[in-house]
Amino acid sequence: MKELNEIYNNIKEAAKYVDAATETDPRLVELIRTLKATRDRIVQLGKESGDEKVESFSKEVLDEIDRLMERVARKLGIYP
Amino acid sequence: MSDGMLRGVDYEDPIVKFRGERILYTLKKVSGREMQLDPSFLVDTFYIHYLPLPLMSTKSDVPEDKGVMYSLLNSIVSSDLVIKNREYSIANSAVSVALTVSYMQHLIEELEKIKRTSQSQEERDAAEQILNGLMKKRFVRARKRTESQR
């Protein structure tokens, strides 16, 4: 749970960073890759836990990651 | 341990402190010698591997005597090797600990080698400055006292 919480807080911080970043910021492309890796790991953590609370929170974290991925993609002009 | 250089990391959190201690303990075991390293730098290196987007504090928020360590940490964040390794370490504390230990061990060995063998005085001084920055301030003062007594 603690691990998930740390990741969740960082995703929130990352969202602020993305909002303030320009479209040419080189970390944005890296961030898309990173978020995909984070997503895979969170899915794994949720499945492995066998704990309902952790599974439920992991879904919340995944939603937050998906929202951020979309935000980054829009900023990079991947979506019209 | 409150002088870390990453945004959003609570350096006073017991789990964060425990991670720093665990890394130091493993590093001592692996290298087979006593080390007096600054735990906040170890914690920062851990979170660079662990967090999806590690964000550095602004340079103006960092004390002047930590300028060299700030630059070092900044170069770790953008290092190709670390970026590649992060693929496996993000949100995985065990892998992040292992990679932090390995990274720190190699960094210290490399700096000590430069300090011992470099032909350039400038390089030797820079390596010593970074090594001092990696160590606990208390230990650096004690070491300097011992060296001046010789």
Side-chain angles (χ1 to χ4, degrees), chain A residues 2-4 6-7 9-11 13-18 27 30-31 33-35 37-38 41-42 44-45, chain B residues 7-9 13 15-16 19 46-47 50-56 77 83 86-88 90-94:
Chain A
K2 172 73 187 169
E3 295 200 343
L4 278 176
E6 284 182 315
I7 298 302
N9 289 338
N10 186 247
I11 296 295
E13 280 278 334
K16 287 184 210 161
Y17 176 87
V18 170
R27 287 190 89 180
E30 184 206 323
L31 184 58
R33 227 183 354 249
T34 301
L35 288 173
T38 310
R41 176 69 185 150
I42 301 299
Q44 192 190 353
L45 279 175
Chain B
R7 257 158 52 191
V9 175
D13 185 314
I15 291 185
V16 175
R19 283 183 169 145
F46 168 86
Y47 279 104
Y50 180 75
L51 292 176
L53 186 69
L55 294 165
M56 300 278 296
V77 171
I83 290 172
R86 276 166 41 80
E87 210 176 299
Y88 312 101
I90 288 170
N92 192 325
S93 58

Side-chain angles (χ1 to χ4, degrees), chain A residues 2-3 5 12-13 16-18 26 32 35 37 39-41 51-53 55-56 59-60 63 67 69 71-72 77-78:
Chain A
K2 172 73 187 169
E3 295 200 343
N5 211 32
K12 291 272 192 191
E13 280 278 334
K16 287 184 210 161
Y17 176 87
V18 170
I32 290 260
L35 288 173
R39 209 184 183 289
D40 292 345
R41 176 69 185 150
D51 181 321
E52 260 181 50
K53 273 188 187 170
E55 267 182 68
S56 155
K59 280 179 191 147
E60 211 179 308
D63 287 344
R67 272 198 289 273
M69 276 171 84
R71 232 149 140 178
V72 178
I78 297 172

